Amino acid sequence: MYVLDRIIINGQQRLNGSVFVNGAKNAAVAIIPAALSARGICVIENLPCIEDVNILANAIRSCGIKAEFRDPHTLIIDSRNLTDYKLTFDLARNMRASYYLLGAFLGRFKKAIVPLPGGCNFGIRPVNLHIKGFEKLGATIEQEHGMIYAYADRLVGDHIFLDVASVGATINIMLAAVHAEGVTTIENAAKEPHVVDTANFLNILGAKIKGAGTDNIKITGVQELSGGTYTIIPDQIEAGTYMIAAAITGGDVTVKNIIPRHLDSLSAKLREMGCRIEEGGDYVRVVGASELNSVNVKTMVYPGFPTDLQPQMTALLSTANGTSVVTETVFDNRFQYVTEIIRLGCRVNTQTAQIGIVEGPSKITGAEVSATDLRAGAALVVAGLAAEGETVISNVKYIDRGYEDIENKLRGLGANIKRVNEQGEIVNRAPARDRIFDDTETLGHSIDEVAATLEAPNVVISA
Ligand code: UD1
């Protein structure tokens, strides 16, 4: 991780051309832990080359798992001989998604020890619903010295109602329930695309999950999962970020390799603002307008407007004519980033922790700003693209957690953007897998040996 890198943008270049979207971060960080539910070899394709995936790959290796990248986007995980159900990897504490190992270990071993995820920059993010779900399946959960201890003699399927349609709780309960006796139903389940993707992956491995993508998921437990090959869906939020970048520069950008339906809520808002949106099987073209209309936006669970696009959208609304009201309903404190976009001239008044009033059009001008979290960083990039003069963004490590090669992709669209290191030298950081594994223990076998075992008769491989 290059903590002191900065991104420098000289704004007001109209973006033009095509950009290719990578695999979904939020699916990747669920599917990698999910692979540990299987006593087999999993090949996970279309993983984004981002820091969160690197950290998680190292985290599972620390549990004694053999995991190696065949190429920057394909990870082979061999968890046939996994016996450890404890995660102590330090970096995992800062990464909420490591809590998926709780569900995966609890299901497979009936016990798990995983760090309690910390808070984050947009509020307290409790795990009470995850824990209630595990308890409903028969597990005992204890917390001590920052760790969660889960154990059960047996897990038995039950009916679980989620007070909030939590993505994390839905996936975590699913991970444990695939190995529970009998049937588990999750009511008021999250419907986000990565919930469906994780369920599809588990089904490839032999799980019996029905209804993912609806608010009622039914899981019939199985004895054991085997290996398989799976391709992760495209990243809805990365795609949305480039769509917004196109709109804020009045550009003409085709965002490729996506599932347009996942972007319906954003496409609808961009149309309302005056942009032209054309959709094909796996792409969306956004043609900006010389003047944009203000619109109100309320974040909701899927298929509503995603909270992870709220900061970028707020930056865009700053350039529209009139007042827009942005209402955040998913997280308590997601407007933290506003102090930074205000430095660029955006006029956003957060009346309460949930409501931001955006006055437009604002004259956006370059300044030195700092990313406060991943999507806040994306909002600064988006605003910087529209700004007059130079925008210098520090704390790029947050952006690197979720965007593969963002500066090269935007440069490909005509943006004047570069990354510099601590010394101010221009650097190119992607793709970056090998540097991650240079200093870690070797697997003890070559990737060719792993690939050879994929042909073994007891390993199920699905295309
Ligand atoms: C996931 C995404 C994140 C996205 C969010 C909402 C991943 C790795 N991250 O986060 O990018 O912004 O969904 O789409 O997929 N809650 C509880 N108790 C719980 C769990 C959640 O009260 O046990 C609350 C949270 O505080 C929040 C709301 O439920 O207010 C939604 O959170 P959740 O859907 O769980 O988000 P994450 O899974 O953490």
Side-chain angles (χ1 to χ4, degrees):
M1 196 182 299
Y2 292 96
V3 180
L4 295 173
D5 280 3
R6 283 162 296 150
I7 286 178
I8 301 180
I9 305 171
N10 272 287
Q12 296 197 326
Q13 306 294 321
R14 195 170 166 268
L15 299 189
N16 227 305
S18 305
V19 61
F20 184 90
V21 168
N22 288 103
K25 164 191 162 296
N26 286 346
V29 299
I31 284 172
I32 293 171
L36 273 58
S37 304
R39 202 177 297 278
I41 297 172
C42 294
V43 180
I44 307 172
E45 299 171 334
N46 200 32
L47 281 167
C49 193
I50 55 174
E51 283 298 328
D52 270 14
V53 167
N54 294 334
I55 292 169
L56 207 45
N58 277 338
I60 64 167
R61 296 168 111 224
S62 77
C63 303
I65 284 290
K66 293 172 180 173
E68 195 169 305
F69 285 98
R70 181 162 63 196
D71 60 56
H73 300 104
T74 307
L75 180 63
I76 301 179
I77 300 174
D78 178 356
S79 60
R80 285 174 299 178
N81 301 319
L82 175 69
T83 51
D84 204 356
Y85 48 83
K86 182 173 178 182
L87 176 70
T88 48
F89 191 67
D90 248 11
L91 282 173
R93 286 173 200 278
N94 301 324
M95 207 199 148
R96 285 185 58 79
S98 59
Y99 59 35
Y100 290 136
L101 286 170
L102 196 58
F105 287 158
L106 182 62
R108 179 164 169 182
F109 299 110
K110 310 294 171 275
K111 41 193 173 190
I113 306 175
V114 169
L116 189 65
C120 75
N121 288 351
F122 44 98
I124 299 163
R125 292 171 73 177
V127 287
N128 58 312
L129 298 172
H130 305 228
I131 289 171
K132 269 164 78 177
F134 296 144
E135 286 174 341
K136 224 35 204 334
L137 297 177
T140 300
I141 313 289
E142 287 166 6
Q143 295 177 35
E144 200 175 292
H145 306 307
M147 301 296 281
I148 304 180
Y149 296 76
Y151 51 94
D153 290 335
R154 44 198 286 245
L155 294 175
V156 181
D158 206 334
H159 179 75
I160 297 168
F161 179 84
L162 297 181
D163 302 340
V164 181
S166 154
V167 170
T170 303
I171 291 177
N172 231 343
I173 294 167
M174 225 160 55
L175 286 170
V178 291
H179 282 116
E181 296 164 36
V183 176
T184 301
T185 48
I186 308 175
E187 203 177 324
N188 196 30
K191 295 179 282 201
E192 270 65 7
H194 40 291
V195 173
V196 180
D197 213 34
T198 309
N200 287 342
F201 171 67
L202 289 167
N203 283 342
I204 292 268
L205 306 184
K208 293 183 178 167
I209 304 173
K210 287 186 175 162
T214 74
D215 51 19
N216 195 297
I217 299 179
K218 181 177 164 191
I219 305 136
T220 305
V222 295
Q223 279 282 317
E224 197 166 285
L225 300 179
S226 51
T229 297
Y230 192 73
T231 304
I232 283 179
I233 51 166
D235 197 303
Q236 168 202 20
I237 306 301
E238 188 197 9
T241 303
Y242 291 119
M243 289 168 68
I244 293 172
I248 205 167
T249 63
D252 181 351
V253 172
T254 303
V255 183
K256 290 186 169 169
N257 185 41
I258 63 165
I259 299 173
R261 166 170 54 87
H262 292 168
L263 278 311
D264 278 353
S265 60
L266 174 62
S267 295
K269 284 293 159 191
L270 293 180
R271 280 194 180 105
E272 218 179 306
M273 292 182 78
C275 298
R276 183 153 60 86
I277 308 288
E278 288 171 19
E279 288 177 10
D282 64 351
Y283 70 87
V284 171
R285 179 180 173 199
V286 178
V287 184
S290 53
E291 299 220 350
L292 294 170
N293 310 316
S294 57
V295 297
N296 296 337
V297 174
K298 192 179 207 174
T299 65
M300 307 279 276
V301 294
Y302 188 82
F305 193 92
T307 177
D308 286 354
L309 286 175
Q310 186 258 95
Q312 303 90 309
M313 191 64 179
T314 300
L316 174 63
L317 291 171
S318 304
T319 65
N321 289 323
T323 304
S324 305
V325 180
V326 179
T327 308
E328 172 63 48
T329 74
V330 180
F331 288 111
D332 291 340
N333 203 11
R334 192 136 208 185
F335 282 111
Q336 285 269 28
Y337 67 91
V338 159
T339 47
E340 293 301 303
I341 63 167
I342 284 175
R343 287 175 195 271
L344 298 173
C346 298
R347 286 177 290 147
V348 186
N349 178 6
T350 42
Q351 298 218 320
T352 68
Q354 271 74 44
I355 297 183
I357 309 289
V358 188
E359 302 290 352
S362 291
K363 181 171 164 50
I364 304 186
T365 44
E368 291 203 8
V369 286
S370 174
T372 52
D373 66 61
L374 166 58
R375 306 305 171 185
L380 294 173
V381 171
V382 164
L385 292 170
E388 188 183 300
E390 187 174 90
T391 300
V392 181
I393 305 170
S394 57
N395 257 338
V396 166
K397 63 177 184 194
Y398 285 117
I399 301 173
D400 290 341
R401 288 187 61 173
Y403 289 87
E404 175 173 337
D405 211 10
I406 188 166
E407 63 270 18
N408 281 326
K409 288 188 184 186
L410 287 170
R411 201 175 310 114
L413 294 172
N416 186 338
I417 181 170
K418 62 189 175 191
R419 175 187 287 248
V420 298
N421 62 14
E422 193 183 353
Q423 287 74 35
E425 296 154 350
I426 297 177
V427 282
N428 190 354
R429 299 295 193 199
R433 293 291 188 214
D434 42 3
R435 78 163 196 269
I436 295 301
F437 293 100
D438 272 354
D439 57 354
T440 54
E441 238 179 86
T442 56
L443 289 178
H445 56 214
S446 75
I447 204 65
D448 290 341
E449 283 165 339
V450 174
T453 65
L454 293 175
E455 311 306 327
N458 61 337
V459 178
V460 178
I461 305 290
S462 304

